[in-house]
Amino acid sequence: MRGLKMVTGFGAVGGVSLALALTVFANGSSAQTDTDTTRPPVLATKAAEKAPIEGTQAGLQDWVKNFRARALEAGIAADVFDATMEGVTYDTEVIRRDRNQSEFTKTVWDYLDTAVSDLRVQNGRDALQKRDTALTQIEAKYGVNKEVLAAIWGLESAFGTFRGSDSVINSLTSLAYDTRRAEFFEAELIHALRILQTGDTTLAQLNGSWAGAMGHTQFMPSSFQEHAVDHDGDGKRDIWGDDPTDALASSAAYLKHHGWTLDQPWGVEVRLPEGFDYLLADRETLKTAAEWAELGVKDTRGKAVADHGPASILLPGGAEGAAFMIFNNFAVIERYNTADAYVIGIGHLADRIGGGGPIQHDWPRQERALTFDERIELQERLTSAGFDTQKIDAKIGPLTINAVRGFQQAKGLLPDGFASLSLLEKLRAP
C-alpha cells in the first residue's frame, strides 16, 4: 500500500473515512472490467474526474445477475446472496463522490488543525479515561499503545459518533458495478457478503461510509475478515455496535500484525541545522538517532533524540515546515492509511491525548494545496523537463517527490521535494 500518498479523503475529518484501504483511491481498470459487458464504459484516470455517470438501475440489475455466479463460486451461499442483493439500488451519489474525491485536498497543516484540534484532544482524553479498562487490557494483550488506538478511533469515527449510515452492500454494489475500481470493490463486496453469511452482524446493521468502511475504526470488509477479533467474548466480532471494544481490539490486532513496537514513537519533531543536506530527508535514508545528532539533527529542546531504532527525516511541508524523525511505527500506521498527513494526525493526536504538547514549528501557510488538475500538470511539466515522474496520476508519491528534487537541484533550489504551487509556477516559467 506504499506509494499512494495523496493528502485527500483520509479519516473522518477529511470527509471520507477509508481506514485500511486507501487503495480504494487507486486508479485503473481490472481484467474483469474488460470482460464484463454489463458495466459502464471504462474511464481513463484523467477523464474520470469529470466524466458523466453512465450507469443505470437496469444496468446494475443486469450486473448483479452476472455477478451472482462469481459470488457463489467464491463460497457465498445462494440464499444469502439472493436475500442480500434483492433490494440493491444504484447510488449515483456514491459514484459521484468516488469520481470526485481527489479534489477534496488539504495541506497537511489544514488537516492537522482539524484532526488535532483542542476539542478533539480533550474528547480523546475523555474517551481514554472512559474506556481505560478495556484499552489497558487491549494494550497488554496486543502490545499496541492505547493512546494510538484512541487516536484512530477519534479520527475514524469521532470516538464512535459518526460510524457511517450508508448501506455497505448498496455502496459496494454500486462501486463494483462502476468501472473505476471494479476489481477492488467486487472483492470487498464478496467479503461483505461473507460477513453476513458467518453471522457477525445483520444486513440492517451492516452500515458504514459511502465507500464501504465500517464501524468505530472503519475497517473495509477484507480487513475485517483478516484482522477483526471478538475481544469481549460474545461470539461475534462486532465493530458496529455502541460498544467499541471489539473494534479497538481489532485495530490493535491489525497494527500488531504489521509490526507495531510498544512505546516506540511514530516520530519526534526535530530541528534541522543550518546547511542541512536536504537530500538526506528521504524515507530510504535510515540512520540511528545518534548518527542524526552527529549531523546536527536534534529535538526541539536541542537534545539528541533517544534511540528507538533506525529513523529517517520527513518534511511534510517542505523546508519551511515542521521536520520529524520517524521510526518504524510510522510505517505501521501507514498500513492503516498511506497519506502522510493521516499518519502524522494519528501519531500527534496520540501524543496529545497522552499529555504531549503541540507541534512547535510553523507551516508554510501561504501555500495552498494543489488541485487535481494542478497535480497532473506538475507531473506532466516535470516529465517534459526531463524529470520523469513515471506516472501521470495526480498522486504525489515517492516517484514524483524524487522528480521534484531533481528539478530543484537543477535550478539551485533547496531539494526538499515539496510539491507546492510556487514550484509549479517555476515549472511554468519560460
Side-chain angles (χ1 to χ4, degrees), residues 32 36 39 63-85 169 173 176 185-195 197:
Q32 288 182 355
D36 191 342
R39 287 189 172 104
W63 180 83
V64 169
K65 292 175 184 176
N66 194 33
F67 168 60
R68 186 178 188 274
R70 298 196 293 272
L72 268 56
E73 185 179 354
I76 303 303
D79 60 338
V80 171
F81 183 93
D82 294 339
T84 303
M85 303 297 287
I169 294 295
T173 301
F185 282 116
E186 182 170 308
E188 291 297 328
L189 178 55
I190 289 173
H191 284 299
L193 289 166
R194 194 168 288 125
I195 289 171
Q197 185 163 289

Side-chain angles (χ1 to χ4, degrees), residues 182-414:
E183 186 176 17
F184 174 82
F185 282 116
E186 182 170 308
E188 291 297 328
L189 178 55
I190 289 173
H191 284 299
L193 289 166
R194 194 168 288 125
I195 289 171
L196 295 174
Q197 185 163 289
T198 55
D200 281 302
T201 192
T202 65
L203 180 59
Q205 293 176 316
L206 191 62
N207 294 322
S209 77
W210 64 263
M214 312 175 300
H216 287 267
T217 53
Q218 294 288 279
F219 270 36
M220 291 297 287
S222 58
S223 295
F224 176 91
Q225 294 287 20
E226 294 173 13
H227 301 288
V229 297
D230 173 23
H231 185 79
D232 61 14
D234 67 353
K236 295 182 179 181
R237 299 176 293 173
D238 181 10
I239 66 172
W240 301 272
D242 290 337
D243 185 347
T245 303
D246 282 358
L248 294 169
S250 297
S251 291
Y254 181 88
L255 295 175
K256 177 184 178 182
H257 175 80
H258 289 293
W260 185 267
T261 300
L262 183 67
D263 293 333
Q264 180 191 74
W266 64 275
V268 175
E269 186 180 2
V270 293
R271 294 281 188 263
L272 304 180
E274 186 176 350
F276 178 74
D277 181 359
Y278 281 87
L279 292 176
L280 295 176
D282 183 279
R283 291 290 296 274
E284 305 305 317
T285 301
L286 295 171
K287 299 179 182 294
T288 65
E291 289 171 333
W292 284 119
E294 289 178 3
L295 294 174
V297 180
K298 307 286 183 66
D299 67 17
T300 55
R301 302 168 299 171
K303 298 182 178 180
V305 176
D307 181 14
H308 295 287
S312 57
I313 303 301
L314 181 70
L315 302 174
E320 295 184 43
F324 301 94
M325 185 181 297
I326 59 173
F327 300 90
N328 184 64
N329 277 350
F330 185 100
V332 177
I333 301 174
E334 210 171 24
R335 298 300 295 264
Y336 215 99
N337 184 315
T338 60
D340 282 348
Y342 177 88
V343 180
I344 297 168
I346 291 294
H348 186 47
L349 179 58
D351 291 344
R352 295 294 308 279
I353 289 172
I359 293 171
Q360 294 190 20
H361 200 285
D362 203 356
W363 301 97
R365 293 181 180 270
Q366 74 280 4
E367 296 280 2
R368 64 163 174 80
L370 294 176
T371 67
F372 175 86
D373 287 342
E374 287 169 340
R375 296 195 301 272
I376 291 288
E377 181 188 355
L378 176 79
Q379 292 175 324
E380 290 176 338
R381 288 185 178 275
L382 283 167
T383 300
S384 296
F387 306 97
D388 192 359
T389 63
Q390 301 185 40
K391 295 180 180 180
I392 309 297
D393 58 4
K395 297 181 178 69
I396 309 301
L399 297 175
T400 298
I401 290 172
N402 287 338
V404 169
R405 287 184 193 277
F407 173 77
Q408 289 171 323
Q409 278 188 287
K411 295 297 183 180
L413 306 171
L414 281 178

Side-chain angles (χ1 to χ4, degrees), residues 34 42 48 86 99 102 106 110 134 206 233 271 305 330 388 421:
D34 296 332
V42 176
E86 180 181 8
R99 298 249 178 112
S102 62
K106 288 187 175 184
D110 285 338
L206 191 62
R271 294 281 188 263
V305 176
F330 185 100
D388 192 359
L421 180 59

